Amino acid sequence: MRSIWNGTVSFGLVSIPVKLMNATENHTVSFRQIHTEDGGRVRYRKYCELEDKEIPASEIDKAYEDADGTLVPITDEDLAALPVPTAKTIEIIAFVPAGRIDPLQMETAYYLADGGAAAAKPYTLLREALKRSDRVAVAKFALRGKERLGMLRVVDEVITLHGLLWPDEIRAPEEVAPTEDVRIRDKELDLADALMDTLGEVDMNDLHDDYREAVEEMITARTEGTEPPAPGAKPEGKVIDLTSALENSVKAARDSRAQDPSDREMAEVHHLEDRKKPPTKAERPQDGPTEKPPAKKPATKKRPTPRSPSGGTKSGTRSGTKSGTKKTAAKKSTPAKKTSTTRRKAS
């Protein structure tokens, strides 16, 4: 990386030569202005009002405009000669907890590299002191013609400088908050908490600029002479019940988590109670065909057979009596026939 500023970090009586480098870069797609009629580039030319002619950048300097319109010329040499101790120094003035810095103040971030072999040890000393104290350093430094406020912290074994706005540059949020008398119910807060818990955390490295990617795809399609991707459906601006919206959001977030294999631990398992009776029609699932349980045959109970006092069964006694009576009658009738026949022979 190319350094944009060279100076020292003043840490009490310790001076650390450092190089300042940009820690961020802009990936925004830039556009040019063109003439609608013929597509020609539209450029801004710098003219001198007194001479009415275009002048080069080498002849342009800066000036301060007074309230009455008077211009006071200011050169870079004038600014460099100012009696400011931070002209080439990042002067640490205090160490505070990181939570003391309002995120509204944070601006551009820079990396600080050591300015040579001799600066390696004091650089490491400051880095380890910041890590051990779990605090950040508040400092002043001058960059691009003005004194700035900064914060030093450690990121991946590198000291990072964050430019900060001065406290008087932060506007008070007056007349910004809603003025209507709004009452929030506990149920709505509970649903909002459930939604936050369900959405969980996110890896910041997984986030990307969808708008920039869509612009790049459109430019590629125009360059290749193809049709750009069709725009997605825009959500309709409907006014809905807040509670219903929260409930639907929680349900959608849980369904999304359940479909993600990495979030299986979020799923809840409910054990069904043992039931002796088959489920009723209302309790059966409606997604697939209903299977009827196999019908069970009623058990046939055998009645005990009554026994007679003599030890035989009641039915056997009856049948035995009837058959015995018939045999006895047959025996008695036979001798009667023989007697009549004998009498006829005798006569």
Side-chain angles (χ1 to χ4, degrees), residues 47-56 59:
Y47 282 81
C48 175
E49 294 181 351
L50 297 179
E51 299 181 9
D52 192 20
K53 68 176 184 179
E54 184 179 357
I55 57 176
E59 298 180 9

Side-chain angles (χ1 to χ4, degrees), residues 289-333:
T290 305
E291 297 182 0
K292 296 182 179 181
K296 295 183 179 180
K297 296 181 180 181
T300 305
K301 294 184 179 180
K302 296 182 179 181
R303 297 181 179 179
T305 305
R307 297 180 178 273
S308 63
S310 60
T313 61
K314 187 175 181 180
S315 60
T317 302
R318 289 179 179 176
S319 60
T321 303
K322 290 180 180 181
S323 59
T325 304
K326 290 180 180 181
K327 290 180 180 180
T328 304
K331 289 180 180 180
K332 288 182 178 180
S333 60

Side-chain angles (χ1 to χ4, degrees), residues 176-231:
V176 177
T179 56
E180 293 80 3
D181 185 13
V182 179
R183 298 183 62 183
I184 301 298
R185 295 179 296 172
D186 291 340
K187 180 181 179 181
E188 294 169 340
L189 283 175
D190 294 340
L191 287 171
D193 291 340
L195 178 58
M196 289 189 291
D197 294 338
T198 305
L199 292 177
E201 298 181 357
V202 66
D203 186 354
M204 300 299 291
N205 295 323
D206 295 337
L207 302 179
H208 57 277
D209 189 349
D210 293 327
Y211 180 81
R212 177 173 58 87
E213 292 180 358
V215 172
E216 291 175 349
E217 291 178 1
M218 179 187 64
I219 294 174
T220 302
R222 292 286 177 85
T223 304
E224 297 176 353
T226 59
E227 290 293 330

